[in-house]
């Protein structure tokens, strides 16, 4: 596999690909991710890949944060570090790439933190961000080993959280909001780099002081939506282990129908009423920006999936 052979135009369109924890936690899925990114480049687009932490890692980091003492935290952290080291070996990349994040994990477990970012919520945000930072680091190494000229991108250099009226301290740090307007400066900054493919983190941003903040539940979907809106992307694609949005949970209702096309209002209703595939918070930035959303299955990339856009045809359910 090789990088696209011709340079992209400065005004080349953008496509955002988001991959969830189940996708990024399997070696074979990374081959699919590389192929999908290359295929989008072949369309003449620049690509931003947004990844979640490995499946179960955010919960494990939350358990570390909730642990009663440093000894318990340390045991849990060592197990988590070993999981990432083992996965790096399985992927065929150098585990030493994880060293900065594992050192930060050890420091946080011992009670240390960035001196600018004081308080329990700031410490927790910094701790929980490590899942995405580690998965994206490993993913970039896999892509480059496959011949993809990808660049690792820190999402905190792209998004600055803005305070909201009557916002609690908890939500300032752990459920922050980011402006979702088109950002031509970000487009130009990324376009100026010698790469057509970037890999970055979902779930994280920074505040005005430069401290790490989290985007809350569904944060990786929301990050992908923010990138789509800020870059004025042609579309955002969410890839996971399901084929799209269904009329009911297909695991419970064998006759559930795949909903191939929806408008944003229909999708918002489905997401708000309990569809786990899609977090409702990710739809608003895309609706305002007019950026379509595709939902696809990483294991079966040829399936049609669901397309969500400003308007659905009259025949849509």
């Amino acid at each position: 596999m090789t990088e696209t052979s011709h340079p992209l135009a400065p005004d080349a369109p953008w496509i955002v690909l988001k991959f969830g924890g189940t996708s990024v936690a399997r070696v074979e899925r990374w081959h699919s991710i590389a192929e999908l990114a290359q295929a989008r480049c072949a369309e003449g687009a620049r690509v931003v890949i947004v990844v979640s932490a490995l499946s179960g890692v955010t919960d494990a980091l939350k358990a570390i944060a909730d642990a009663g003492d440093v000894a318990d935290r340390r045991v849990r952290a060592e197990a988590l570090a070993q999981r990432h080291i083992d996965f790096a070996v399985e992927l065929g990349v150098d585990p030493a790439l994880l060293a900065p994040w594992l050192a930060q994990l050890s420091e946080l477990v011992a009670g240390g933190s960035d001196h600018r970012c004081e308080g329990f919520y700031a410490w927790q945000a910094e701790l929980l961000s490590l899942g995405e930072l580690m998965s994206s680091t490993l993913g970039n190494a896999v892509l480059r080993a496959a011949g993809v000229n990808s660049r690792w991108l820190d999402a905190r250099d792209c998004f600055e959280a803005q305070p909201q009226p009557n916002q609690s301290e908890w939500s300032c740090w752990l459920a922050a909001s980011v402006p979702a307007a088109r950002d031509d400066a970000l487009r130009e900054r990324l376009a100026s780099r010698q790469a057509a493919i970037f890999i970055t983190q979902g779930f994280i941003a920074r505040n005005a002081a430069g401290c790490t903040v989290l985007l809350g539940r569904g944060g990786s979907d929301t990050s992908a939506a923010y990138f789509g809106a800020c870059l004025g992307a042609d579309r955002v694609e969410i890839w996971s282990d399901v084929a799209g949005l269904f009329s009911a949970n297909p695991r419970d209702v064998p006759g559930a129908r795949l909903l191939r096309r929806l408008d944003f209002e229909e999708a918002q209703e489905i997401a708000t009423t309990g569809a786990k595939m899609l977090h409702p918070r990710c739809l608003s930035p895309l609706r305002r920006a007019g950026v379509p959303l595709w939902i696809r299955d990483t294991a079966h990339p040829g399936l049609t999936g669901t397309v969500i856009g400003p308007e659905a045809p009259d025949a849509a359910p």
Side-chain angles (χ1 to χ4, degrees):
M1 186 179 298
T2 58
E3 182 59 276
T4 182
S5 59
H6 56 282
L8 294 171
D11 60 349
W14 290 87
I15 295 175
V16 179
L17 309 178
K18 181 263 177 178
F19 296 91
T22 303
S23 296
V24 299
R26 300 181 184 179
V27 173
E28 66 275 11
R29 297 289 171 85
W30 276 104
H31 300 307
S32 298
I33 292 170
E35 290 172 359
L36 287 166
Q38 290 285 73
R40 301 303 178 260
C41 279
E43 297 177 19
R46 288 189 170 86
V47 177
V48 174
I49 301 171
V50 178
V51 296
S52 299
L54 306 185
S55 179
V57 165
T58 301
D59 287 341
L61 288 165
K62 185 67 166 60
I64 292 172
D66 294 339
D69 57 60
V70 173
D72 187 11
R73 288 176 183 166
R74 186 171 290 115
V75 170
R76 292 175 183 272
E78 288 173 354
L80 190 63
Q82 192 60 52
R83 177 184 173 185
H84 284 84
I85 291 169
D86 292 343
F87 189 53
V89 173
E90 191 178 356
L91 289 168
V93 301
D94 187 357
L97 294 169
L98 296 168
W101 311 127
L102 296 182
Q104 188 175 356
L105 176 61
S106 296
E107 180 183 357
L108 290 166
V109 163
S113 183
D114 189 319
H115 68 278
R116 299 169 300 167
C117 314
E118 298 179 354
F120 174 72
Y121 293 136
W123 173 85
Q124 190 173 355
E126 199 172 350
L127 178 67
L128 267 60
S129 72
L130 290 173
E132 278 74 11
L133 291 166
M134 289 192 287
S135 67
S136 60
T137 297
L138 292 176
N140 188 51
V142 173
L143 293 176
R144 294 187 67 82
V148 179
N149 184 25
S150 59
R151 292 289 184 273
W152 187 86
L153 177 66
D154 194 328
R156 296 170 296 186
D157 293 337
C158 302
F159 298 140
E160 181 177 317
Q162 298 296 313
Q164 302 299 306
N166 303 313
Q167 191 172 21
S168 68
E169 183 184 5
W170 175 88
S171 63
C172 283
W173 291 101
L174 304 180
S177 295
V178 170
R182 182 180 170 110
D183 187 344
D184 287 328
L186 177 62
R187 284 173 58 97
E188 292 171 7
R189 178 157 58 90
L190 296 185
S192 68
R193 300 187 183 183
Q194 299 301 307
I197 298 173
F198 297 86
I199 182 168
T200 190
Q201 312 78 37
F203 192 46
I204 67 174
R206 65 176 174 88
N207 62 18
C211 302
T212 300
V213 298
L214 307 182
L215 300 180
R217 183 173 175 269
S220 291
D221 285 355
T222 305
S223 293
Y226 284 151
F227 271 108
C230 292
L231 293 172
D234 273 17
R235 63 181 180 268
V236 171
E237 303 177 16
I238 292 182
W239 293 82
S240 70
D241 57 351
V242 296
L245 289 178
F246 286 80
S247 58
N249 187 338
R251 294 184 176 92
D252 299 330
V253 182
R257 294 178 298 117
L258 175 65
L259 306 177
R260 297 185 184 277
R261 294 192 67 86
L262 296 169
D263 64 31
F264 281 115
E265 286 70 23
E266 291 167 329
Q268 188 81 51
E269 183 174 355
I270 291 171
T272 303
T273 54
K276 295 181 179 179
M277 170 60 224
L278 188 64
H279 195 272
R281 190 179 176 192
C282 81
L283 292 170
S284 294
L286 298 178
R287 181 175 55 210
R288 290 194 297 268
V291 176
L293 174 64
W294 291 11
I295 301 175
R296 296 291 191 271
D297 184 349
T298 315
H300 303 95
L303 294 180
T304 303
T306 300
V307 175
I308 301 169
E311 296 180 1
D314 293 339

